[in-house]
Amino acid sequence: MKPRVVILGGGFAGLWSARTLARRARAGQLDVTLINPRPTSDFHPLLPDVVGGRVRRASATYDLRQAEQRWALTFRQAEATDVDADRRVVKTTDGDVPFDHVIVATGAQTNVRGRGDLRAHALTLDSARNAESIIRTATRDPAAAFVIAGGGPTGVELATNLRLRCWPHRPRIVLAEFLSRLCSLLPESHSRYVLRNVRRMDTDVRLETTVEAVDGSTVVLCDGERIAGARLIWAAGVAPGAVARKLPRGDRNGRAATDEYLQAGEGIWAAGDAAGFVRPGESRPIRMSVQHAIGGGVAAARNVLGAIGGRDLQPFRPLDLGYIVPMANGLSCGTALGVPVFGAPATALHYVMSGFRSQAPGKTAGVLTDALSSYLDARRFNSRPPSAHDASYNNP
Ligand SMILES: Cc1cc2nc3c(=O)[nH]c(=O)nc-3n(C[C@H](O)[C@H](O)[C@H](O)COP(=O)(O)OP(=O)(O)OC[C@H]3O[C@@H](n4cnc5c(N)ncnc54)[C@H](O)[C@@H]3O)c2cc1C
């Protein structure tokens, strides 16, 4: 019988695993099954652009049924609920799926921290479907206020793209960040650049501020301010799902603990945001990012092939090429190969990288065309005088 490889999750890590296994699957040497709850895969880095209208939803999603023929696999639309290491089956909402090797690539989802008010009333941005909900809300009432909780890259990108979406209406957009600076994982100079730019786009930035409560119409901040008629968008952190946490080697900050080969148990592998891989000599798992998900997906699949073929496993050596925080007025920032990049070149890098990481040549062209046609949109913000929110900013 052919070895059965089951991939859980059709995101970056899962699809790059599938690509890596495809040659052997096409040759009839492997049976590969891909399991994902929805029929499409979302390209997360472009979701803020979808909200802003700069990239079409179609350019930011990939139909997983196309993967069947392309990478010689079977796609099953279901949600994995557990990996039974003893019985060698994945339990799913569509029955048990037997495996010889399983790659857990279930990513991470917005973490509402068990708060019922957030579950009931907050919007999130972790799927194309949720991006559509935000667009619908903004379109229905473009003058209504928004409060975005979380001043990391997602919150920042979203705030600037909401401004673009609502234009020429100018709703109040509040960005609440618990820490004393935005994008706190970035160097201070980058945080200052981001702060200046989001304020330039009329965002009311509240540092050292949390959202205390929300109902259908009011958001309450920790300083007691009640923002009436506001919708809350929760962008304050993500957490991997239960499948990753329950794997045999246990979990690392909620991510599946793996060894240096991305092995999380006998014949069980993990990659991407779901994997708590720690570089030798470090104490924290590598950051959640597309580049590490792609690298991890490829490395896990290669080790599956190595294990099947009785060859030595290869340690995962993630490369950090950098990051970009893309903002909707085209003034982005980040680093590339250790070199700081600001402004239009950073924005161009965001789109070029997104285009080339897309799953099909047609998608690459779609992303790049969308990006080009949005260029003029972005320029109109930069030609405006500074907004009221710039006043409190001291240029360093
Ligand atoms: C708005 C936003 C913007 C971002 N921007 C950037 C950026 O600019 N650069 C960057 O590097 N990173 C960015 N990230 C982070 C990046 O998207 C993730 O690190 C990356 O997607 C991780 O890839 P993954 O394959 O591990 O998970 P994902 O891409 O999230 O894929 C996981 C897949 O698993 C599926 N799944 C979930 N649970 C189950 C289950 N129980 N059973 C089966 N399938 C399941 C999901 O539906 C999904 O299809 C962003 C994230 C968000 C939300």
Side-chain angles (χ1 to χ4, degrees):
M1 198 170 65
K2 287 187 268 186
R4 295 158 304 183
V5 184
V6 177
I7 301 170
L8 308 184
F12 290 97
L15 290 181
W16 283 80
S17 292
R19 287 167 82 127
T20 309
L21 299 172
R23 199 164 56 84
R24 300 283 291 278
R26 258 187 236 112
Q29 296 165 1
L30 287 181
D31 228 339
V32 180
T33 302
L34 174 69
I35 297 177
N36 197 72
R38 290 194 300 273
T40 49
S41 174
D42 297 330
F43 196 104
H44 291 155
L46 289 174
L47 295 183
D49 295 278
V50 171
V51 170
R54 298 195 301 164
V55 167
R56 287 163 299 147
R57 180 179 173 170
S59 300
T61 55
Y62 177 70
D63 188 339
L64 291 171
R65 286 161 299 208
Q66 290 178 15
E68 291 209 271
Q69 258 209 318
R70 199 161 165 219
W71 296 316
L73 54 80
T74 304
F75 171 59
R76 278 178 78 156
Q77 189 177 345
E79 185 177 338
T81 52
D82 202 1
V83 174
D84 187 331
D86 298 328
R87 288 178 50 230
R88 313 303 286 167
V89 293
V90 177
K91 295 184 182 169
T92 81
T93 47
D94 187 34
D96 289 356
V97 182
F99 70 85
D100 297 301
H101 292 270
V102 60
I103 300 175
V104 178
T106 44
Q109 290 75 43
T110 303
N111 185 4
V112 293
R113 302 161 199 218
R115 279 178 57 176
D117 61 338
L118 297 181
R119 205 166 281 128
H121 300 294
L123 297 160
T124 59
L125 184 64
D126 50 12
S127 69
R129 213 164 38 167
N130 291 345
E132 291 286 350
S133 302
I134 294 174
I135 293 169
R136 268 198 307 279
T137 306
T139 310
R140 219 172 20 235
D141 189 0
F146 282 96
V147 176
I148 299 169
T154 298
V156 162
E157 293 168 34
L158 184 54
T160 63
N161 276 287
L162 259 180
R163 177 64 68 217
L164 196 61
R165 165 62 60 182
C166 296
W167 194 262
H169 299 275
R170 300 187 59 173
R172 183 175 178 201
I173 298 177
V174 177
L175 180 60
E177 166 54 44
F178 165 68
L179 296 173
S180 57
R181 64 184 173 102
L182 296 179
C183 298
S184 58
L185 291 177
L186 310 188
E188 285 229 34
S189 57
H190 287 62
S191 287
R192 283 197 296 268
Y193 183 93
V194 170
L195 180 65
R196 180 168 52 178
N197 200 34
V198 292
R199 283 186 167 154
R200 180 188 181 128
M201 289 189 74
D202 250 350
T203 305
D204 181 0
V205 179
R206 304 294 190 85
L207 299 174
E208 299 179 351
T209 300
T210 54
V211 169
E212 290 299 291
V214 58
D215 60 24
S217 60
T218 307
V219 178
V220 184
L221 303 182
C222 62
D223 60 6
E225 186 180 358
R226 303 176 68 82
I227 306 176
R231 287 306 306 265
L232 174 68
I233 308 178
W234 189 257
V238 295
V243 175
R245 283 200 306 274
K246 290 191 288 189
L247 293 181
R249 286 175 59 110
D251 75 308
R252 229 173 236 139
N253 305 337
R255 301 166 78 181
T258 71
D259 63 14
E260 59 178 329
Y261 309 108
L262 294 174
Q263 207 161 194
E266 183 66 36
I268 302 173
W269 313 77
D273 289 358
F277 172 86
V278 177
R279 281 194 181 90
E282 294 186 4
S283 58
R284 290 160 61 97
I286 53 174
R287 71 186 168 89
M288 294 181 179
S289 67
V290 170
Q291 59 187 325
H292 293 332
I294 291 175
V298 171
R302 282 190 181 146
N303 278 336
V304 166
L305 294 176
I308 290 170
R311 294 189 300 277
D312 285 347
L313 303 182
Q314 298 301 316
F316 178 40
R317 298 267 182 263
L319 266 180
D320 204 330
L321 302 174
Y323 57 82
I324 300 290
V325 180
M327 289 176 275
N329 60 353
L331 299 178
S332 308
C333 72
T335 63
L337 301 172
V339 179
V341 270
F342 295 97
T347 305
L349 262 180
H350 161 64
Y351 288 119
V352 170
M353 291 311 292
S354 296
F356 285 100
R357 285 167 171 169
S358 295
Q359 292 300 340
K363 298 278 172 203
T364 307
V367 172
L368 296 178
T369 315
D370 291 352
L372 205 60
S373 66
S374 72
Y375 177 68
L376 289 175
D377 266 0
R379 285 191 5 170
R380 71 184 169 207
F381 287 104
N382 302 330
S383 58
R384 285 190 307 121
S387 75
H389 297 298
D390 287 340
S392 56
Y393 177 74
N394 293 314
N395 207 337

